[in-house]
Amino acid sequence: MISVCERDYIIGGVQANARGDGRRRTDARPLLSFELGAVPQASGSAKSAALLVGVKVAIAEVSHVGAQADDDDDVETMNTRSKHLGISEDSIRKYSDFCSKLLNSDAGGLDLASLCFVPNTTCWVIHVDVLVLAYTGNLLDTMFQAIRAALANTLIPKVSVEESGSGLARSFEFDVADEETEELKGVNDIPAVVTLYKIGNYHVIDPTPLEELCSDVQLTVAISRKGLPCAIHKYGSGSVDPSLLADMIQDAKKHGLASLEWMDREIQREKLRLSNLE
Amino acid sequence: MVNPDTFKKLHPQEFHRRFLGKGVRPDGREGLMIDLLNLTLVTPNRIHRNCKRKCARSNGWNTVICGIKAEVAVPDTNHPTTGYLVPNVDFPPICGSQFKPTAPGEFTQSVSEMVYRVVKGNNILDLETLCIEGGKAVWVLYADIVFLNYEGNAVDAALLAFTAALKDTKLPVAVYSDVEGTVRADAADRSVSLDVKRVPFGATFGIFEQDGGAKMAMADPTDEEEAVLISSVTVVVDGESQELMGTFGAQVPIDLMDQCIGQAKKRATAIKKL
Amino acid sequence: MALDSKRIKGPEKSFVPLPLLVQSTPTPTPTSTKTKGRIDGRGTDEVRPLFATTRLVRQASGSAFVEVGGVKVVCAVYGPKPVPASKVQDHHSGGRISCDVRLSPFAALKRKQFMKEPAEHSLSNNLHTALLPSLLLAHLPKSQIDIHIQILQAQNPTSIPPNAFVSSLSLLLAPCITAASLALADAQIEMMDSVVGCNLGIYRNPSTQKLFWMVDCTEEEIETRSNGGGVWVGNCVVGVMPSIGKVTGLVMDGDIGDVGFVMEAVQVCVDACAKIHEVVVKKALIESAQAKE
Amino acid sequence: MNTGEQPVSTSERNFVTAALREGLRVDGRGAYEFRDLAINLGDGGYGSAEVLLGKTRVLANVAAEVVRPNAANATEGFVHFNTSFSPMASPAFEQGRLTDEEVLISRMLEKALRRSRAIDTEGLCIIAGEKVWSIRIDIHVLDHEGNILDCACIAAIAALLHFRRPDITVEGDNVIIHDMDERNPIPLSIHHIPICITFGFFDNGDRVLVDPTHLEEQVQDGNFIVVVNTHRELCTMSKAGGASLDVARIIQCTEVAAAKAAEVTELVRTALSKVIIRISIYCQHINQFITKVQ
Amino acid sequence: MRSNGRTDEHQLRPLSASFGVLSRADGSSRFGFGTTEVLASVFGPKEVRIRDEKIDSATLQISVRPLNGLSGPLHRLAERQLRDLIEAAVLASIHPRSAIQVTIQVTGDDGCFMSAAVNAASLALLDAGVAQRHLLASVTLAFDPNGTLLLDPSLKELETAKSVHTFTFSNSNDAVIAGVSSEGVYSQDEYKQACTVAQQACATIHSFYRKTMEQKLAPQ
Amino acid sequence: MVVLPGDIVPIPESEQTVRVGPGLRQDVANIVVAKAGILKQSVTGDRVWVEGNQRRYVPQLNESVIGIVTAKHVEGFRVDIGGAHPATLGALAFEGATKRNKPNLEIGALVFARVCLANKDMDPELDCVNPSNGKADGFGEVKGGFMFKCSLGLCRSLLDPKNPFLQHLGAICPFEMAVGMNGRVWVDAGTPKQIIVLVKALLGSEAVPYSKARTYVKEFKSDLTSVE
Amino acid sequence: MTVVTPGERLGLAGEFFASNGTVEVGDHIYASIVGTVTTTKSTTSGELDTIQVIPTKKTMKSSIPEVSSIVTGKVLRVNPRMATLSIMVVGDQPCADNFQGIIRVQDVRATERDKIQIYNCFRPGDIVRAEVISLGDSRSYYLSTAKNELGVILATSVAGHTMIPISWEEMVCPKTKAVENRKCAKPVAIGESSTQ
């Protein structure tokens, strides 16, 4: 809940391109660094000051659906959060929805086909759970960063398959070699996510919780390594004039690439640290 | 100052008593008599044109759509050559504000069960004919009966939609290959139509108790009427053989019941014409 | 499966039979590459005929039916009604809306099981975003409007099963938006403007690698993933308030090119929506208005 | 306070403990004394047992069907336990909503009966990878006057021992299931008989008693559950929260439990033997009948 | 000669009934046709959840629980039919804003459990001292493949039955069918025949109720 | 005579208008049975009723009940009396209670009270004071002892002035007793042992005819008198 | 007589005073519902003409209570502090889904507020006409019956017959002649509702 004067103050500030914490409209706060492998029993994990992401891989039957047997796996992101954080159930659902949608789409980077080891029937399912430790605004972007890091940290056991039985009831014996593992294919091509919050007639990035309350339109953009948008979703109770979209996306691009670069460095650093541990 | 709608809302019992006392119903129909005009079987011009589907709009304004999906499955170990026919009635929240978006409640389930009982034993169609390869693969016919607008008398509407859909369901020729253990069929050409042995028609009558305690039956009650009924009677008649295929009901005088059955038979023949 | 015990049971598992080996991989018929380049011979900016009508669900305050291609959706609006106790936050601000989109079990080729699919959730969410800006909820304190959509048919029964997410949105979201807004208008809910939805497919020309778009794609055009000599690479669904000319909903996925192309795509959709509004939506509303109840 | 359960008054609470201090229980029993146990078998046909422990009443029923096994372990049959707390047993049990008490009890039963491998699942295999028996045990709690767990455990065991599945012959791929009165039905192979004994504590663990009544359960400071069989083998023990206990107490309890288990098993056996005789006589008679026909 | 040793096709299996079987319930009873046995309990008038509170009468909460396996649509229908019957029997209007909870547990099923359930419920309400207009008695009948009408059929007989009919009659007025539920294929005459036989059978059961009650109250 | 719901009761000849008691109802011109039991008729013949037995309590005006305090409010207490609805007991409905000094009952306390409002549309209300004279008349909190639940029938017979069991038991060992019409009886005696035996004896007496009272009570004599 | 649909531009914000069924966005006035446009000349000079859209559907399927609207509903529950009402009709417009309202003890009548005993004024099942005095709390509207024409308009006696008001705080059962206490609305109301 936000008071009218607070709202006016923030909107005014944005208009004057001077935000409460001294940033300008398109300045982001310093990005939080990650610790990979923070959760030993998970297949992969990443922890930052604000978020904890755990990845668990499991084997599942995909329903056998005719010719185009869907050989994709599905990545579910399910967010559990501690009560007091001021995040509404709906936005949580929206975010999870966006993340799984993006990661499951061709633009998501991950090579999903490679996760299916028994044609048409059995494949790996990657479950991603996000725990929000502290809510400092701009959740979706930071969340996706963390997920990206966690996936980069994820290892899947190798699987060998043999067939048995007959008819529709035929079944596959497979044994999972726990010691032999491999990384997910295409983690590095996962895009970065930047959300632009329209406040008044201007848009900001990386808003504080208060600023979020003042924004009536959010435009979430996924930026690929090539610097091209690969997903654009509009949220919020307001509407936008098409003409405004252009520079919104431009800004998104700028920051997307920046965060990608930074992510690479982060992940490299962490990987190094982990390898040194062994 | 108090208009009929308000009055109906505030004292439904009284409202209907005043009509039925005069042997008339709020929508102008008469008690036991079935007004056939009220009962149209629509294969709507625009809506749901699809070989596997049929929309039945029955008794007044109920809008029901029954979709039949044919899939293949492994037969039950104890009956290796019988297929499945699985009718399910659903009342999604769209069809009335009284229905909440939750798992089916007692009402929904009991309607499903009634339909199922009529369908079950009475070999409406011979489930053996759904066998593709004994012990390996049979057809499963999922008959999903979805209400889009519900205004009372669920069973009749559901049955009507069901039979209509079943009658014009056509299956493709299915081939079982033991090698790959799969069933293949050409979705495009559906040549095998089901041999439907019986066509169950439901006729439901609301039992209303007048001030004197005398009971009267009214055919095809609306949801508003249902609210003030003491009970109702459903008679299912086979349109082919005129035999009965089910009677469900409560608190009905024996002679009135006989009348209802008579009416139900009349109705079955009438619908068959449509 | 707790749910199962609440319904008439079938076998544990069942499958859609595989198509005959002969034509297991459907290829676009050669003719499709001719005639203005689209499978159904439409122009790139040409929308399919869309049928819309109101007053299908008598129980509801307002309702609408929209059919385009193989897609058929019914929408009913209930309310304004009291906000359920669970959802009450601050009641002095205006009313709220709830969107619930459901696929009928028989809507797609593979029968849908009874539990809600993720596709249905994301449809509901996106619909909610697309409608909200158009409604004047301040006029409805303490009350809620329920918008229920039942998708009767999600695709042509003969076509190939869709990859749930992509096509459910690209194909179903647009008609859902149009239907919902129509139903809201039919229910006399006050709004700035009706909202119209439209989808657009993005294709890449394999030889030139250039991107190009086609408005209002059919599921064949998406699923066969090739069209007018191009390969399907992304899609875009837009919800628009035609008279005010503002975008209320925007979903773009896949390889959607650079900013310029995105802008172009969006603009095309906006124009298409305006067309649909003039030709179909307004007509439907006026018809129903003049038709005496 | 929305548990439909009637509240306990302070006077009841105080009296129960006061009486215990003088070694008395409200229903006049001794501390290590069970309430009367009545085992009623076979009313619902084979594998049905209704057990009365005092006024606590539990009905257990066993059924079997032929199904396809899991790909993972192709030679193992299935055993399903389902404990249902009927609203008729107590106003606290509501349709479709489980109280913690209910969850705890069904978990303990699961541990006592399944995890202790009382039932031989390999023996349920018919054709490896194709057909196996699936056994389902439904346990209905019908009347809750305390110590549901012990009562339910006895009921389940009695039902399992009493159960008979139809005989079968395997011919290649298909299986003939013989009618009950065509061929003698077959009992399950049960490895051992786990019996569950529940202790209740009062006065911070200074006073112990077995088979607490409903009132005693409401008042007690904690409980301690021992599952043991006649070979004096411990299957499960549970001391979830409540007053703390010194080790000696625990040892003493297990000793008592072992003794009690023996008594109870004896009661179950005698109850069974009566019916079993009846069954076998019946079967002989049938056999004679058949032979005559041939 | 019928499968379970009965000589006449219009013969009931031995009836059994007992009251106050349960100690926690306000009222309870057990009713049986031979080895088909049903246990019924009644709580109430008791507190009711606001959600299903009725301001002008008591809410009937009915649940039917199978002996084995999960309960499903079959049982929901049974509950609905029971509710129709009990609503007509119980004077619910004298206990507004409260609940009367009837729970049915099948303890043995050799056919006709629904009839047993109705009878058990009626007796449980009697035992609980809930005010009623009348008592209910129910029987099930079946036509075997060659068209003979069997009263109170066993499971075996039901398997092969052509049609099955369950009738319920009250002790106050047997010109009114308190409840009917028929399945299978049958002619109107067959239906009528079943109805008349059921009428007589129910009368027998009602007199059985009275005998049982008199025995129970004898000592006082 | 044993009657069942639905039976029609012959209207007794009596010069006064016949009053229809519990278990019966008037339906047009007939008196119809609503509850099972034994049909009773007052000697004067102007009252008919059915004497049955049940466990669930339905509050009646002026009946005395034993309740358990389940909650405290400013206005008073919420009390469970085993009926369909919780009863309210006003803070001022006690002898000598004023806005200044309100009685302080803890949650779980037992109160012996009188039903002062019983209406099917309203939650019942209790008081612990006789409105005519403002005296407690034995109503109020009951401390110590033990409370047991029983059938309403037993409560009735325990309140019956010529109930022989009480006399005989009392002769053996003195004890206090409060009987609520809501199927709750409170007893207190010298030792827990005695209380336990008394409870057993009282519960048992339901099945014993008055004539056999003396011999029945004898069984308990030793237990009641033994001192350990 | 042309029909306009939502979003149809009706004129400039400066031209008219935008009334029911219209909305101002930017410097234009648009229709906000389906209906027919009507403009009414302003009586006083200098003021803008009023423009509004009259809905073509006679009524909205469901109407919602507003402050000072007269509502009719059924009493659900009574306790010493308030009576809970299920609002079924707003004006003479039935609601599709009932709203909840409460009549607090101090809002029952204008006089002798401290003497009021709720259950001598309302009983569950009574049909009551009341006025909305505020949007109330999150759950229910606050209602008042502190006017002559407000209060119980229909009630059934314990014996189950429709009672007749004999004074503003008493009703009598025609059959049993038993008198019960109620906060009655001015009897005319009853007359009307029964002349159906």
Side-chain angles (χ1 to χ4, degrees), chain E residues 199-211:
Chain E
Q199 226 172 343
Q200 296 148 1
C202 287
T204 332
I205 293 177
H206 277 300
S207 49
F208 171 72
Y209 288 167
R210 194 172 297 277
K211 238 197 268 92

Side-chain angles (χ1 to χ4, degrees), chain D residues 6-7 9-12 15 26, chain F residues 68 108 110 144 146 149 184 196:
Chain D
Q6 265 200 4
S9 71
T10 358
S11 99
E12 291 166 283
F15 183 77
V26 172
Chain F
I68 303 171
L110 284 181
F146 181 65
K149 307 176 182 71
R184 293 180 183 171
I196 291 175

Side-chain angles (χ1 to χ4, degrees), chain B residues 1-2 6 59 96 113 132 154 167 177 179 228 233 236 248 269:
Chain B
M1 165 186 160
V2 177
T6 313
N59 37 30
E113 179 68 16
I132 298 170
K167 277 201 120 174
S177 103
V179 189
V228 301
V233 174
V236 184
F248 305 89
T269 20

Side-chain angles (χ1 to χ4, degrees), chain A residues 142-160:
Chain A
T142 44
M143 182 196 289
F144 197 78
Q145 273 175 349
I147 293 174
R148 208 171 171 287
L151 288 171
N153 174 238
T154 301
L155 295 173
I156 316 178
K158 285 215 170 64
V159 182
S160 57

Side-chain angles (χ1 to χ4, degrees), chain C residues 101 119-127 151 168-169 172-173 176:
Chain C
V101 180
E120 288 171 297
H121 281 299
S122 66
L123 274 170
S124 307
N125 291 341
N126 286 295
L127 181 63
I151 297 172
S168 68
L169 277 181
L172 301 180
L173 182 53
C176 284

Side-chain angles (χ1 to χ4, degrees), chain F residues 18 45 50 60 67 79 102 108 114 129 134 184 186 188 215 219 221:
Chain F
V18 176
V50 174
Q60 299 292 335
V79 182
K102 292 180 183 170
R114 189 184 64 95
V129 56
R184 293 180 183 171
W186 173 87
D188 196 1
T215 44
E219 298 166 20
K221 192 165 195 332

Side-chain angles (χ1 to χ4, degrees), chain A residues 57-219:
Chain A
V57 294
I59 293 171
E61 306 253 313
V62 287
S63 55
H64 144 138
V65 261
Q68 275 233 327
D70 98 11
D71 49 358
D72 297 357
D73 82 330
D74 93 63
V75 182
E76 297 163 4
T77 84
M78 186 271 277
N79 301 29
T80 51
R81 53 163 187 113
S82 40
K83 276 277 158 282
H84 56 80
L85 304 167
I87 321 165
S88 78
E89 280 306 331
D90 310 10
S91 46
I92 292 286
R93 209 182 303 109
K94 249 183 270 166
Y95 296 157
S96 323
D97 184 33
F98 177 82
C99 296
S100 47
K101 186 162 179 300
L102 180 57
L103 290 169
N104 280 298
S105 72
D106 307 1
L110 288 176
D111 172 7
L112 300 173
S114 72
L115 291 169
C116 181
F117 48 87
V118 180
N120 305 352
T121 34
T122 329
C123 73
W124 286 108
V125 175
I126 307 178
H127 299 279
V128 180
D129 288 274
V130 179
L131 176 63
V132 182
L133 306 170
Y135 179 50
T136 56
N138 196 28
L139 185 57
L140 181 50
D141 299 10
T142 44
M143 182 196 289
F144 197 78
Q145 273 175 349
I147 293 174
R148 208 171 171 287
L151 288 171
N153 174 238
T154 301
L155 295 173
I156 316 178
K158 285 215 170 64
V159 182
S160 57
V161 184
E162 74 219 30
E163 187 175 336
S164 81
S166 73
L168 292 180
R170 79 172 162 174
S171 62
F172 288 86
E173 301 279 346
F174 43 73
D175 70 311
V176 180
D178 296 324
E179 60 288 339
E180 274 182 85
T181 57
E182 53 194 348
E183 288 199 342
L184 289 168
K185 292 199 182 61
V187 242
N188 292 332
D189 305 336
I190 300 178
V193 171
V194 180
T195 309
L196 304 123
Y197 293 74
K198 180 164 160 292
I199 297 177
N201 305 326
Y202 301 87
H203 60 271
V204 304
I205 64 165
D206 190 14
T208 62
L210 275 183
E211 287 173 328
E212 279 183 359
L213 287 173
C214 304
S215 121
D216 62 340
V217 175
Q218 298 92 43
L219 197 71

